[in-house]
Amino acid sequence: MRGTSAGPVHPETRGRKAARPLWSRDFALFFTARAVARLGDTMLPVALAVGLLQHGYGAGAVGLAMAATAAAFAGLVVFGGVLADRFSTRKLMIGADAVRLGTQALTAALFFSGHVVLWEICAIGFANGVAAAVFQPGVASTVPRLAADVQGANGAIRVAESAAQLAGPAVAGLLVGVASPGGVFAAHAATYAVSGACLLLMRLPALPAGVRGASRGARAFRGELVEGWREFRSRQWLWSVIAVWCVYMIAVWGPTIPLVATEVVQQHGARAYGLVNSALGAGTVAGGLLALRLRPRRMLRAGAVALVGFAAFPSAVGAGLGVPAMAAGAAVAGAGMSFWGVMWATSVQTQVPADVLNRIHAYDVAGSLAMMPVGQALAGPAAAALGADQVLLVAGAVSFAVCFGLLAIPAVRGLVRAEPVTTGPVAGTPAPAPAPAPCAEPG
């Protein structure tokens, strides 16, 4: 039967997976692929900014090049979810990495040759966004197929990606100084080569019995797209979180990132902003490590409580506190966001049936990203009308309200974990209940 049940997923394979340790050869390969690819992705903004500015383009051109990738990804990721549920996710991810290896190698060649035309860079960025839209949905279903301890796997990947996010801009800055922006793009292409090689060497266990194979034809494609939406709507805890997250993107995340950057740089200088950003990254690492240890029975409830910490970031900057206080607020915010992200990803991966998981994840990603550009676009006019500090203080207050809103939804706060903990309870934490539930940071 197709995944219409709201119960926990993969029951056929749980006994078999329970004997498999987290750090298997295949999970280690996937872990390496995600960490290296994330390192490359965090190098890209530096390369684009420096490279385009050196060739006479302005900040608007940099934003346009980045927007080309974001628009393609956000617009097509839902279709990528259908493809991932129809075909081999591993092969799709390898193909996407191969495409991005080629596009970034081409970009490196353009910058090395000095022939840099904006429309070409935007076209390459659009192709990268398409490849990312094909790649991303498969990530959700790969984790539970490789690891019995899904939460531990998500926590480990989150820590690695956070560490890569800290290191990426620094590595890019070093490469720009040594080898020009073209060298950064070449290194970025190499990260996709490493990721693709790891995925090529990785072996995924068979899907659970009863999962339907690929169907054919445009009509079947449309039917599976509609079915994914129906499955998404049938889970109140899922769509209600995404609905709340749209508010979060508009009123909190969207304005916080650009306004914090401008306020900190203008008031305290670029070095202070680098310190605050590093504290945010360190906090995300700490949140991932915490998620490796704590095993709450009601994961979304615990994640929503942790997410309250994000309010410290915009509030500290909006209140005009000193750099140490802003850095502390950023660290708390990063830890709360990271912990929520692990709880959310694990809930989606363990509560949704395997045969629709990629499509559900795609709707999750699309819904989570949809309102972020709106929040970013409104940040400037709101700051001009009210003052950037007031907008940031409002963002901090809304962050509190969003967390309480999540906790006020019975389907969210009452969702019980479906994944069995195979590593045993951590000392000092209550053991999870043995019975499963009866029923991103998003994205």
Side-chain angles (χ1 to χ4, degrees):
M1 177 179 294
R2 294 288 285 172
T4 56
S5 168
V9 300
H10 313 316
E12 302 92 339
T13 59
R14 281 188 178 166
R16 181 180 61 200
K17 291 197 302 180
R20 187 169 65 252
L22 171 60
W23 287 104
S24 64
R25 168 189 175 275
D26 292 322
F27 177 74
L29 286 169
F30 184 70
F31 174 89
T32 302
R34 298 305 304 137
V36 172
R38 184 60 177 166
L39 177 67
D41 289 343
T42 57
M43 294 162 57
L44 182 59
V46 176
L48 276 175
V50 175
L52 289 175
L53 290 173
Q54 284 183 358
H55 284 82
Y57 294 101
V62 177
L64 187 61
M66 293 181 180
T69 301
F73 177 74
L76 298 175
V77 68
V78 170
F79 301 99
V82 176
L83 292 175
D85 274 332
R86 298 177 99 206
F87 305 110
S88 165
T89 56
R90 175 175 161 273
K91 290 180 180 178
L92 287 173
M93 290 191 289
I94 292 171
D97 275 344
V99 168
R100 291 182 288 186
L101 166 61
T103 57
Q104 295 310 90
L106 175 60
T107 308
L110 293 177
F111 276 93
F112 277 131
S113 68
H115 178 77
V116 178
V117 181
L118 181 59
W119 76 263
E120 294 177 345
I121 302 301
C122 290
I124 290 172
F126 188 88
N128 286 337
V130 173
V134 172
F135 185 101
Q136 182 61 38
V139 173
S141 63
T142 298
V143 172
R145 289 174 69 183
L146 290 177
D149 182 5
V150 179
Q151 182 183 331
N154 283 316
I157 291 171
R158 179 58 62 102
V159 170
E161 290 182 340
S162 299
Q165 190 165 356
L166 275 173
V171 173
L174 180 63
L175 287 174
V176 164
V178 172
S180 82
V184 183
F185 286 107
H188 191 200
T191 63
Y192 288 125
V194 173
S195 174
C198 289
L199 295 174
L200 188 63
L201 293 171
M202 183 183 75
R203 293 293 178 265
L204 280 175
L207 285 168
V211 174
R212 190 177 68 188
S215 53
R216 305 292 179 183
R219 181 173 296 179
F221 189 96
R222 289 194 298 270
E224 292 186 1
L225 192 65
V226 171
E227 182 188 21
W229 175 247
R230 186 167 59 246
E231 293 283 351
F232 179 80
R233 290 193 309 166
S234 70
R235 293 166 173 82
Q236 185 183 0
W237 63 269
L238 185 63
W239 61 257
S240 59
V241 168
I242 298 301
V244 172
W245 210 253
C246 288
V247 176
Y248 193 84
M249 287 289 106
I250 294 174
V252 182
W253 186 262
T256 292
I257 301 306
L259 293 183
V260 163
T262 55
E263 285 295 289
V264 175
V265 170
Q266 289 176 357
Q267 300 296 326
H268 303 280
R271 183 172 298 181
Y273 180 62
L275 176 63
V276 170
N277 237 13
S278 296
L280 181 66
T284 62
V285 172
L289 291 172
L290 188 64
L292 280 170
R293 294 187 58 82
L294 298 183
R295 306 289 172 136
R297 183 167 181 259
R298 288 180 171 82
M299 303 179 72
L300 295 185
R301 178 188 295 184
V305 171
L307 192 60
V308 171
F310 190 84
F313 189 25
S315 298
V317 179
L321 304 182
V323 173
M326 289 189 291
V332 172
M337 180 66 77
S338 183
F339 188 82
W340 160 262
V342 174
M343 298 297 108
W344 171 253
T346 303
S347 297
V348 173
Q349 291 164 4
T350 57
Q351 297 281 349
V352 174
D355 54 352
V356 293
L357 178 54
N358 294 312
R359 276 169 285 170
I360 292 290
H361 178 61
Y363 278 112
D364 163 24
V365 172
S368 301
L369 293 177
M371 293 297 108
M372 183 170 66
V374 177
Q376 291 173 331
L378 293 176
L386 304 174
D389 54 345
Q390 294 301 315
V391 175
L392 288 171
L393 289 174
V394 169
V398 174
S399 184
F400 273 112
V402 161
C403 297
F404 285 115
L406 290 171
L407 293 171
I409 302 170
V412 174
R413 70 171 184 268
L415 187 72
V416 181
R417 68 182 304 129
E419 173 223 1
V421 179
T422 62
T423 56
V426 177
T429 61
C439 49
E441 83 267 350

